[in-house]
Amino acid sequence: MCGIFGYIGPRDPVPIIMGGLKSLEYRGYDSAGIAIIQDQNLQVRRCSGKLKNLEELLAKQPITGQFGLGHTRWATHGRPTEENAHPHRDCKGRIVVAHNGIIENYLPLKRKLIEEGHKFTTETDTEVIAHLIEKHFDGSLEQAVLKALTQMKGLFAFTVVSADDPQKIVAVREGAPLIVGSVEGEGFVASDIPAVLPYTRSILFLDEHEVAVVSRDGIRLFDSSGKPRTPKFQHITWDPIMAEKGGYKHFMLKEIYEQPTAISNTVLGRFSLDTNTVHLEDVAFSNDEWKSFRNARILACGTSWHAAVAGKYMIESLARLSVEVDYASEYRYRNPVIPPDTLFIFITQSGETADTVFAQRQVRDTGSKILTITNVVGSMTTRVADAVLYTRAGPEIGVASTKAFTTQLACLYLVALHLSKLHGTLSEAEMRKALTDLVELPHKMEIILENAKHIEEMSKALFRHRDFLFLARGIHFPIALEGALKLKELSYIHAEGYPAGEMKHGPNALIDENLPVVFLAAYDPESPDSHQRYEKVLNNIREVKSRDGIIVSVGNENENDLIESSDHFIPLSPTNEYLLPILEVIPLQLLAYHCAVRRGCDIDQPRNLAKSVTVE
C-alpha cells in the first residue's frame, strides 16, 4: 500500500523516479507526487489521480535536479487531493517526506507543533514527520530523523531529503516494508523489489527500527538509537523482464499463463522419484524436528488463507496430523490454546503482510516452531520464522493473486508429502503415485491454458450478471472461495463461495434464472471417496438446475452426466484429489479476468485494493 521511490546519482532523477513509481502502481494509490533537489533548491509537483496526471503536470511544469523522492499515495488520513498528496514539506520548504503507513499519535504531535509555531497545510499524518524533523534539524538530516523517531508511534516507513543537507536520502522502517538498492555511484530506495530490478539485484531489506543513509558513496545503516549496523544485502534472482508484461494485455493474464513454469520452479529439486522422497533441506528443519510435529496451525490472510484451508485437507489426509487454520488478522486477538509439538505455518506472498507478521511474532513468543511460505527472499516473515519455504513464483505484479496462490498450494503439497513420509502414513506405491502426479501437473495446466478460448466466449454470456455462487465439497471448497474472491476483486460482481452441502441451509433461496452457479466437480478417478464426493456434487447441480439456476461446471473431461447437466462446462485432465485444486483454479482465474475485461474494469489495479497489505 502506497509506493515510495527515491534516487540519488549522476543521472536525471525525474525519469528514473517516475519509472520506479510506475512499477509500483500495483500497490494501489489515488494521488502521486515527486520532489527534486537542485543546488539546494527544492521543487515539488503533486496531483490527485493516476500517474498520467503527474506526467502531464511535469510536461507543463518541468523540474530537473540531482536527487529526489516520488510517492503514490493511498489515502488514510485526509482525502485523495493534490493538497494531501505526498511528498510533504516542513514550514520552510527545505525538508520533504514521502511516507507509507500510519503515525498513530499524529494528533497530539500536531497540536504540540502548532503550539510551537509550526503551520500545517494538509490533513495528513505525514506532514507531522516533516515538521518534527524540521524541529530537530541542526545540519545533520539523519540525526534529526533519529530524534524525531523517539516521539513517533505507529507502523510506517518513510524517506526524507533536505535542501540544507544535500546529496543524501534518509530511509526509515518502523513496521512497513522499505528496501535499498545500491550500485557504484548510485542509490535507490523503494517500497518493493520490482521498482529497483532495472538497476540492481543486490537488495538491502531494512529491518525493523533501522535507518539507512543513502548517498552516491554507498549506504550507512543505523538502528533507531543511532548505533551503526552492517548492511546485509540479498541477491534477487528475478529477471527484470519478469516484471514486464511481455506482450500480454495485462500483468494478471501474463501471470496466469506463467503458472505451469512457476509450479515447475517451485518443485524443482525438491523431490526424487528414484527414492520416493521429498527434499526440503533448504527449509532448515531437521528430519527429527519434522517427525516431532503432531499438530499444525496455518495462518494467512486473503488468497493465502484459501491456500491454507486447502493445505489443511492435504496435511490431515496425507500425513494424519491435526490441523487448524486461522485468519492471521484475527489470531492476534485470541488467547489460543497451543498443544505441544505444534508446527505453525505462515503463508504470505509478499512476506510483509502486516497482520501475518504480527501474528507470527506473537507465536514466536510462545516458543513454537514456525515455517513460513513466501515468495520474497529477505522479507520480514523470513526473519521471524525458524524455517522458510520459498515458492519461487517470480514477481507477481497483478493485485489479484494467481501464480502466487498455485505455488503456495504446491508448497503445501510438498510439506504434506514430506510429513507423510517421515510419519509413515503413505505406502511407497502411494508416495510414488503422488510424486508422479506432481511431475505431470505442469503439462495438465498447459492443456487448460491452450484451450482457454472457450472460457473467454463463456464470459460473454455471464459478465452482465450481478451475483454468482461458487460451490464445492472437501478440498475443493477453498477453491470455490478463491474463485468467488477473484470475481469480486476484478469485476466487482458480488460472489460467494459455499460448501455445496450447505445449500439447503440458506443459499437455495437465492437460486433463480438470473443466478450463475459455478460448481467444482472434478474428481480423482482412482479414489472411491473422491468419486463419491463427485456424485454428491452432481446431485447439487441437478437441484440447482431444477430451480432454473445457470450451471457453470468445472470437471473431468468426457464426463457425460456432468456435461449434460451444465449450461457451461470447462474440462480438466484428472489428477489426484490434492492437486486438482491447482487445475481447477486456473479456469476460475480466467473467467474472472474475461468478465472484468468485458465490464471495463481495471484488471491490474482493482479499485480500493492494494497488492500488499502492509498496514492494518
Side-chain angles (χ1 to χ4, degrees), residues 334-583:
R334 290 176 51 198
N335 185 20
V337 177
I338 303 173
D341 306 321
T342 296
L343 169 64
F344 276 83
I345 303 175
F346 287 82
I347 309 175
T348 161
Q349 184 279 139
S350 68
E352 299 285 356
T353 306
D355 287 313
T356 303
V357 173
F358 288 143
Q360 196 175 358
R361 288 182 177 134
Q362 180 177 325
V363 169
R364 182 183 60 183
D365 292 341
T366 70
S368 298
K369 290 291 185 179
I370 296 173
L371 168 67
T372 192
I373 296 175
T374 188
N375 192 37
V376 181
V377 175
S379 55
M380 182 53 67
T381 188
T382 68
R383 285 173 268 173
V384 181
D386 299 295
V388 182
L389 183 55
Y390 288 109
T391 57
R392 303 173 181 168
E396 186 178 72
I397 307 300
V399 166
S401 182
T402 53
K403 63 178 180 175
F405 176 69
T406 48
T407 55
Q408 288 168 354
L409 292 175
C411 283
L412 288 162
Y413 184 72
L414 290 171
V415 168
L417 292 180
H418 189 52
L419 287 166
S420 67
K421 179 78 170 183
L422 294 174
H423 286 272
T425 54
L426 291 182
S427 68
E428 287 297 307
E430 289 170 329
M431 179 65 77
R432 185 168 186 81
K433 172 67 165 56
L435 293 175
T436 301
D437 290 340
L438 188 57
V439 172
E440 297 171 352
L441 182 67
H443 176 63
K444 292 181 178 181
M445 298 169 73
E446 288 170 351
I447 292 173
I448 298 170
L449 294 167
E450 288 167 359
N451 297 283
K453 187 67 178 176
H454 70 292
I455 301 175
E456 183 179 1
E457 290 298 313
M458 187 186 304
S459 70
K460 295 178 182 178
L462 298 171
F463 78 97
R464 290 189 177 90
H465 290 277
R466 299 180 61 184
D467 300 281
F468 275 68
L469 273 179
F470 287 74
L471 302 177
R473 291 173 181 259
I475 194 173
H476 311 271
F477 163 57
I479 309 308
L481 293 174
E482 176 63 11
L485 178 61
K486 284 292 154 286
L487 194 64
K488 283 184 281 193
E489 285 179 314
L490 292 170
S491 68
Y492 319 142
I493 295 171
H494 172 253
E496 289 188 60
Y498 246 88
E502 292 292 301
M503 286 296 292
K504 293 184 177 66
H505 296 277
N508 270 350
L510 299 173
I511 299 171
D512 60 18
E513 69 278 4
N514 296 313
L515 183 71
V517 184
V518 181
F519 282 93
L520 300 181
Y523 69 95
D524 179 355
E526 298 186 27
S527 167
D529 289 342
S530 184
H531 189 270
Q532 184 180 35
R533 175 191 54 75
Y534 162 71
E535 292 290 346
K536 290 183 179 294
V537 171
L538 197 58
N539 288 336
N540 291 129
I541 290 173
R542 290 165 179 153
E543 187 176 6
V544 172
K545 192 65 177 174
S546 70
R547 291 166 172 78
D548 299 321
I550 302 166
I551 305 297
V552 181
S553 65
V554 180
N556 295 12
E557 57 194 1
N558 303 319
E559 197 65 49
N560 291 329
D561 286 346
L562 181 60
I563 296 170
E564 291 172 4
S565 301
S566 304
D567 298 289
H568 305 281
F569 175 67
I570 302 170
L572 304 180
S573 300
T575 185
N576 76 58
E577 185 81 348
Y578 309 102
L579 291 177
L580 276 172
I582 295 176
L583 298 181

